[in-house]
Amino acid sequence: MLIVGSIVIRVDNLASQIGFWTRALDYVLREPPEADFALLQPRTGQGPNVSLDAVPSRRVLPPRIHLDLYAEDQAAEVRRLTELGAREIEWSRRPADADYVIMEDPEGNRFCVVDAAGWSGWARVQAT
């Protein structure tokens, strides 16, 4: 049996990215960070960990993998994430009726904020 234990994001500035991702996801440090690595976990204890790995790597666009972050109120979350330092990305091939907004964290790691207001899993998430 396998489960997703942690999603790893390569970063340049570990301290800055800890600040962004803990506030963006309402995560906390699971233990004190190392010089080049930090493990974040959900404040509630439910959900996958996010690891920040300060290892130099070449940025590739489009990225081979990215996070889809589900939002009950997509517009509010996009505004909040923008205030934290993320930015919205335009993509010429994005369909007009797309349910997602493409964003980048302060270092350019891409993720999508998905309009998931009607997602049936909210009750399960809010129960934790």
Side-chain angles (χ1 to χ4, degrees), residues 105-122:
D105 74 10
E107 289 191 358
N109 296 304
R110 293 208 174 164
F111 59 93
C112 291
V113 178
V114 179
D115 181 0
W119 179 52
S120 63
W122 287 120

Side-chain angles (χ1 to χ4, degrees), residues 71-79 94 99-101 113-116:
E72 281 188 289
D73 183 340
Q74 182 186 47
E77 289 299 334
V78 167
R79 278 192 306 275
R94 182 175 175 259
D99 66 348
Y100 59 90
V101 173
V113 178
V114 179
D115 181 0

Side-chain angles (χ1 to χ4, degrees), residues 62-80:
R64 304 262 331 241
I65 190 169
H66 68 271
L67 300 177
D68 276 353
L69 305 177
Y70 286 17
E72 281 188 289
D73 183 340
Q74 182 186 47
E77 289 299 334
V78 167
R79 278 192 306 275
R80 186 180 70 82

